[in-house]
Amino acid sequence: MRSFDDDLAPLHEASLYRSLRTIDSPQAPVVQINGQEVLNFSSNDYLGFANAEPIRNAFKHGIDLYGTGSGSSRLVCGTLAPHASLERTLAKFKNTEAALTFSSGYAAAMGCIPALCGPGDFIILDKLSHACLIDSAKLSGATLRVFPHNHMEKLEHLLKWARAKGKTTSRILVITESIFSMDGDWADLWNIVQLKDQYGALLLLDEAHAFGIHGPGGRGLAAKLGLASRMDIQMGTFSKAVGLSGGYLCGTRSLIDLLINRARSFIYSTAPSPSLAHTIEEVIRHWLPTAYGEDRRARLWSNLAYLHTALKDRIEEPASAIIPLIIGSESEALRLSAQLLTAGILIPAIRYPTVSKGKARLRIAITALHSEGFINALSRELQGCAL
Ligand SMILES: *Cc1c(COP(=O)(O)O)cnc(C)c1O
C-alpha cells in the first residue's frame, strides 16, 4: 500500500505543496509572523470588520446574552432567538421572502445544490466557479456542464441542449459567482439573467466577494445592477467583508422551506454559535449599510484607485478588491511570493487546483484599512520584482 508521503511527493515536485502559516496577531493590514511585522495584502477582510471595536463589543455582548454554544443542530433545539432574528433581518436586507444561514459558505453550497438538483436535472456552471460550487454540483448527481468564463454563446448552447434533453419536470440550474474570487472581475449578469429566463432555468448567484462591498448598503452586485429581483437563489458568506464567518442563502419562502427539509449540511450540523449569529445581525443592521460601512467602502475604493495609479502599467482598473497578478508558472509564483515575504509583504501564491495549471498568480487583496504608505510599499516591491 502506498504511504501518505508517496502521495505528497508529486505535490512537492510540481510546486503544488501547501503548508500552513501562522499569524500571531489579529487580522489587520499589518500582521505578526514569527516575530516579524509584515504588510498583509491577502485578506478577504475587505472592510476591516474582523477586528473592529464596535463589532468586537457586539460579539462580547452576544455571549452575555446567549452564551457561546448552540447545543444542537437547528432542527433539534439549536435555533435560538438570534438565529431566527438574523434570518429575518437578512431576508429584509436582501429584499427576499426568506433566508437561511449555515456554518460557512462552503456548507451553504453543499447543502443547497444537492437539495435542489439530482439525477435527471442539469447544472451549468461558469468554468471559474469556486470549488464549493463545483463539489456540490458533482455531489448532486445532476448532469454537469461547464461554460468558459463569461462565454454567453456557450451558455446559451448548453441551455438549449439541456432543454432539449431534459424532461418537462427537469430542473436546469445555472451557477455563477458575481465577483470571481481569484480574478476579481464581474459575471456578465445582464446576459446570464436574460438567458436563464429565456430557457426557463434557475440561477444561483454566489455573492461571496460582493456582499458588503458592492451595491446599496453592500447588498451585492445583483442589487447594484438592479437585478436582485431576477435572482432565484442568492448565496453569500459572512466570512469576507462581514468579517465573521458563516454562509447564507436567500430566496422564496418555499425555497428556504425546501432547504430546511433537505439541505444535509444544515440538518446534520450543529447550529453556529448564537453569539456569532447575534453579531452578524448587528453588523447587517448597524455597521454594514450605515455611514460606518459607507465610510469603509469609500476608503476601500479610494485605496483601489490609488493602487491602480501606482501600478497602471501592471494592472487593469480594479472591478473589486481582488487584483490578480498572473504569473503562470507555479514555481515562479512561489519564488515571487517568498521574495515579497522577505521584503515584508504577504501575498501567497495561488496555484492549481484553486486556479488552472499554468495560471498561478499573486492575488492581491486590498482593504479599507490599508494606508497609502502601505500601498506605496507594495507597488515599490512589485516594481522591483521581475514580473
Ligand atoms: C470563500 C468563498 C466561499 C466559501 O465561503 P466560506 O464562508 O469561506 O466557506 C464560497 N464561494 C466563493 C466564491 C468564495 O470565494
Side-chain angles (χ1 to χ4, degrees):
M1 191 166 66
R2 71 184 193 282
S3 72
F4 300 146
D5 287 334
D6 289 341
D7 285 356
L8 287 169
L11 294 179
H12 284 291
E13 274 161 35
S15 298
L16 294 176
Y17 183 78
R18 298 165 187 225
S19 57
L20 296 171
R21 178 186 296 112
T22 303
I23 306 283
D24 298 312
S25 57
Q27 201 53 237
V30 180
V31 293
Q32 290 268 344
I33 298 179
N34 289 333
Q36 251 206 315
E37 289 204 329
V38 303
L39 293 181
N40 182 8
F41 284 101
S42 51
S43 178
N44 298 322
D45 178 28
Y46 303 125
L47 300 179
F49 279 12
N51 190 35
E53 186 75 25
I55 300 169
R56 291 163 61 120
N57 288 336
F59 215 145
K60 291 175 194 164
H61 187 54
I63 293 172
D64 290 341
L65 289 172
Y66 304 105
T68 49
S70 58
S72 80
S73 66
R74 290 284 304 274
L75 282 164
V76 177
C77 67
T79 299
L80 277 68
H83 297 107
S85 175
L86 164 60
E87 285 163 357
R88 283 192 301 271
T89 297
L90 180 64
K92 205 165 159 208
F93 182 68
K94 293 283 286 178
N95 200 20
T96 56
E97 285 176 20
L100 196 65
T101 57
F102 292 72
S103 339
S104 70
Y106 196 102
M110 288 305 253
C112 173
I113 295 169
L116 301 183
C117 292
D121 295 323
F122 297 82
I123 298 180
I124 306 175
L125 295 120
D126 187 289
K127 173 98 169 35
L128 297 187
S129 294
H130 191 265
C132 71
L133 303 170
I134 297 166
D135 295 353
S136 307
K138 284 184 181 159
L139 180 68
S140 75
T143 301
L144 208 67
R145 289 293 182 273
V146 166
F147 59 98
H149 182 45
N150 270 338
H151 195 307
M152 293 301 109
E153 289 84 47
K154 186 70 190 203
L155 170 60
E156 177 160 24
H157 175 79
L158 289 171
L159 282 164
K160 214 178 266 178
W161 167 83
R163 256 291 143 251
K165 199 156 188 285
K167 300 200 192 79
T168 49
T169 52
S170 296
R171 204 168 265 154
I172 304 176
L173 178 64
V174 176
I175 301 179
T176 184
E177 295 175 28
S178 61
I179 303 293
F180 283 83
S181 62
M182 296 299 140
D183 293 79
D185 62 338
W186 298 12
D188 186 355
L189 216 48
W190 275 102
N191 285 314
I192 293 172
V193 166
Q194 191 70 33
L195 285 171
K196 70 97 185 168
D197 280 348
Q198 188 181 336
Y199 291 93
L202 297 174
L203 176 61
L204 186 160
L205 183 69
D206 181 352
E207 295 256 37
H209 293 276
F211 189 64
I213 292 176
H214 280 291
R219 283 169 176 79
L221 189 65
K224 181 186 177 80
L225 300 176
L227 291 170
S229 65
R230 314 268 305 266
M231 299 300 128
D232 303 290
I233 305 142
Q234 301 190 56
M235 178 185 145
T237 173
F238 308 121
S239 332
K240 280 144 190 169
V242 175
L244 292 156
S245 70
Y248 71 79
L249 285 156
C250 294
T252 61
R253 185 69 250 170
S254 53
L255 167 75
I256 299 305
D257 288 343
L258 181 59
L259 294 177
I260 291 170
N261 281 275
R262 276 226 197 130
R264 295 173 67 85
S265 63
F266 176 84
I267 298 170
Y268 297 106
S269 186
T270 297
S273 164
S275 46
L276 173 60
H278 168 81
T279 313
I280 298 167
E281 187 185 2
E282 290 289 291
V283 171
I284 293 171
R285 271 182 189 281
H286 303 300
W287 308 109
L288 198 61
T290 56
Y292 188 85
E294 285 304 325
D295 171 62
R296 294 288 171 108
R297 279 185 286 279
R299 285 158 70 181
L300 172 63
W301 289 109
S302 89
N303 279 344
L304 285 160
Y306 189 79
L307 178 73
H308 183 228
T309 312
L311 285 177
K312 227 172 200 128
D313 48 335
R314 297 267 161 90
I315 62 170
E316 297 186 14
E317 196 178 344
S320 70
I322 302 159
I323 297 116
L325 292 176
I326 312 286
I327 307 300
S329 137
E330 284 75 22
S331 57
E332 182 61 8
L334 276 181
R335 191 189 67 74
L336 286 166
S337 170
Q339 183 184 329
L340 286 166
L341 190 59
T342 309
I345 290 181
L346 175 63
I347 311 177
I350 306 288
R351 292 159 290 157
Y352 176 84
T354 306
V355 294
S356 304
K357 269 192 186 136
K359 289 268 177 70
R361 65 200 61 188
L362 299 176
R363 176 188 182 273
I364 302 171
I366 296 292
T367 77
L369 299 187
H370 284 112
S371 69
E372 291 189 352
F374 295 162
I375 295 170
N376 288 338
L378 170 68
S379 65
R380 211 169 35 242
E381 286 307 325
L382 289 175
Q383 304 284 3
C385 286
L387 286 180

